Amino acid sequence: MELRQLNYFIAVAEERHFGRAAKRLHMAQPPLSQQIRQLEEQLGVKLLDRTTRRVDLTAAGQELLDRGRKIVNEVETLKADVYQVGNGATGVLRVGFSGSATYGVMPKIVRHVKQALPGLSMTLQGEMLTPAMEAGLRDHTLDAAVLRPPVASSEIEYKVVAREKLVVALPSHSPLATGRPVAINELQEQPFITYPPESVMYRMVSELCRQGGFQARIGQVAKETSTMLSFVAAGGGVAVVPEAVRSFQLEGVVYAALEDSPDSDLAVAWRREDRSTLLHNFVNLVMDVSETNPGTKGQV
């Protein structure tokens, strides 16, 4: 039994008339009658009781109609689902992102993807450092990542989606918490609350301090941005963080602009070899909400 024959039978069974069924199927009546006879021969049962005026279903015909409708509907659903997957409109993506991205670009990305690709489900893993996200991409535990470049691996491509200055998170009782911009050398006597040494931000802050003529005195190391700010609020030191973190308001913490701040980039990254339509639809949507688009980069 072919799907085509099943569709022919369903049309006849629903119309209860060969002429009307043939018109509905846009075909002549004789070949339609022939197809139904062949189907009955293949199944070895009578499906229809034919009279000059109408067609009635036998018990076997009713069974085929009931279950045949489900089969046809399932096939149509399958065709639609396969089309959606093949065109990157549905599926699951595992996405890692840096902790500071939580306060800036990630909410925009999630909202935009939900609106534009409702069939796409994202499994999100936050508070990750760039080296861990690189490793996740290489070992296929992540499909995409929102990270801070540079990346070390030539297997990974990325596009910059946001570019922001750095700010200083200060305890609210700090003499520097006056609302004016702070120079990096004004922090040389302060303990620094930092991301771990393997992070991009740690290296940026260390270089800033070096340019300011001193080596940062590390008071506390924390992987999570929220934890860093909690230490700042407790008076444990200062933290240099991306500007988007300003949106995280915590009692006991104030933010000050950093004089001569370098740019800190945030990028969407993926495996160079991954040609998935779903992935590249995701990347394109992320770029739609990006603040800047200087292009695709590989190893740096």
Side-chain angles (χ1 to χ4, degrees), residues 128-143 145 147 151-153 155-156 271:
M128 297 184 72
L129 301 179
T130 292
M133 285 186 272
E134 285 190 62
L137 290 170
R138 290 196 308 270
D139 66 18
H140 293 241
T141 56
L142 291 177
D143 302 304
L147 49 72
V151 297
S153 174
E155 301 173 41
I156 296 172
R271 287 183 301 279

Side-chain angles (χ1 to χ4, degrees), residues 3-300:
L3 185 62
R4 172 175 53 86
Q5 291 175 307
L6 186 55
N7 278 309
Y8 290 163
F9 170 76
I10 291 172
V12 174
E14 289 178 345
E15 296 293 340
R16 293 295 202 272
H17 192 278
F18 275 92
R20 290 194 298 270
K23 186 176 181 180
R24 168 174 154 182
L25 294 167
H26 305 289
M27 63 185 299
Q29 182 175 334
L32 175 59
S33 299
Q34 183 180 8
Q35 288 291 326
I36 298 302
R37 282 195 297 271
Q38 288 179 359
L39 180 60
E40 288 178 319
E41 291 172 1
Q42 291 170 8
L43 295 176
V45 294
K46 188 177 182 181
L47 300 171
L48 302 170
D49 284 326
R50 302 162 176 83
T51 68
T52 55
R53 293 188 175 182
R54 59 177 286 118
V55 174
D56 290 319
L57 292 172
T58 65
Q62 186 63 55
E63 178 72 10
L64 182 59
L65 175 63
D66 294 340
R67 296 180 62 177
R69 282 171 170 160
K70 295 177 182 178
I71 291 170
V72 169
N73 288 337
E74 182 63 26
V75 169
E76 291 302 314
T77 301
L78 176 60
K79 287 164 61 178
D81 289 348
V82 169
Y83 177 83
Q84 293 286 332
V85 171
N87 284 275
T90 187
V92 178
L93 279 182
R94 299 159 298 174
V95 182
F97 60 96
S98 69
S100 57
T102 306
Y103 310 104
V105 72
M106 279 306 296
K108 297 178 185 177
I109 290 173
V110 172
R111 183 168 58 250
H112 192 65
V113 168
K114 184 177 180 181
Q115 292 171 349
L117 284 177
L120 169 59
S121 175
M122 289 188 293
T123 301
L124 300 175
Q125 186 173 345
E127 299 289 359
M128 297 184 72
L129 301 179
T130 292
M133 285 186 272
E134 285 190 62
L137 290 170
R138 290 196 308 270
D139 66 18
H140 293 241
T141 56
L142 291 177
D143 302 304
V146 179
L147 49 72
R148 293 197 180 274
V151 297
S153 174
S154 60
E155 301 173 41
I156 296 172
E157 289 189 27
Y158 67 86
K159 290 183 178 180
V160 174
V161 299
R163 180 163 287 154
E164 50 192 327
K165 299 296 184 182
L166 303 180
V167 298
V168 185
L170 302 160
S172 56
H173 57 75
S174 170
L176 297 173
T178 62
R180 66 171 178 82
V182 173
I184 191 67
N185 58 13
E186 293 183 87
L187 304 175
Q188 59 184 320
E189 300 301 325
Q190 302 291 326
F192 277 72
I193 314 299
T194 72
Y195 294 99
E198 63 270 24
S199 73
V200 171
M201 282 300 303
Y202 181 93
R203 296 196 293 271
M204 288 187 69
V205 173
S206 297
E207 177 59 20
L208 276 172
C209 293
R210 187 193 66 78
Q211 292 175 7
F214 68 99
Q215 183 175 348
R217 180 161 59 91
I218 307 302
Q220 188 70 47
V221 174
K223 179 182 175 183
E224 298 83 10
T225 303
S226 57
T227 303
M228 291 173 58
L229 296 175
S230 295
F231 282 119
V232 173
V238 301
V240 177
V241 294
E243 190 171 19
V245 177
R246 278 184 182 270
S247 65
F248 182 75
Q249 296 297 313
L250 183 65
E251 185 177 355
V253 176
V254 296
Y255 299 96
L258 184 65
E259 287 186 0
D260 301 319
S261 168
D263 290 329
S264 175
D265 289 344
L266 201 63
V268 57
W270 66 96
R271 287 183 301 279
R272 185 185 300 277
E273 66 181 19
D274 193 337
R275 302 302 176 192
S276 157
T277 303
L278 179 65
L279 169 68
H280 288 279
N281 282 349
F282 170 76
V283 171
N284 289 336
L285 283 170
V286 171
M287 296 311 299
D288 286 345
V289 298
S290 68
E291 299 172 12
T292 182
N293 182 9
T296 304
K297 299 184 181 181
Q299 186 178 12
V300 293

